[in-house]
Amino acid sequence: AGHDRGLMCAALLPDGKHLVTSDFNGDTRVWNLDTGAAGKRFTHGEWTTGLAASPDGRRVLTAGGHGKGKIAARVWDAATWAELKAFP
């Protein structure tokens, strides 16, 4: 299923086979472009206004939720989708 709230941003991973999307709620999903299926689902924690993939595709950055006490950016491992680092 797709996002429940408006899509805010998207990033194509360098492999050309996966698309990462995020919505107003920070709900982030990884899509398989060959099958159209949604895979891993995780959250930035606040609305997401930016997504970027590292050139080698090993890391993905989510950004958003700006404001006092909010996490501005998170770095994720693209193999496991574990959060590696959060930046205030």
Side-chain angles (χ1 to χ4, degrees):
H3 289 277
D4 295 332
R5 299 291 304 258
L7 187 66
M8 295 293 289
C9 49
L12 182 65
L13 295 186
D15 67 6
K17 297 180 181 181
H18 295 92
L19 179 69
V20 181
T21 60
S22 196
D23 67 19
F24 185 77
N25 289 334
D27 181 31
T28 305
R29 298 176 188 201
V30 182
W31 301 88
N32 181 314
L33 295 178
D34 290 335
T35 66
K40 181 68 177 171
R41 183 176 178 174
F42 55 98
T43 185
H44 175 79
E46 298 287 334
W47 73 90
T48 307
T49 57
L51 283 170
S54 63
D56 64 6
R58 295 177 58 196
R59 305 284 185 267
V60 171
L61 174 89
T62 58
H66 310 292
K68 186 177 181 180
K70 305 289 186 182
I71 298 297
R74 297 180 191 273
V75 178
W76 307 86
D77 181 309
T80 63
W81 296 105
E83 182 182 305
L84 300 174
K85 184 86 173 163
F87 299 91

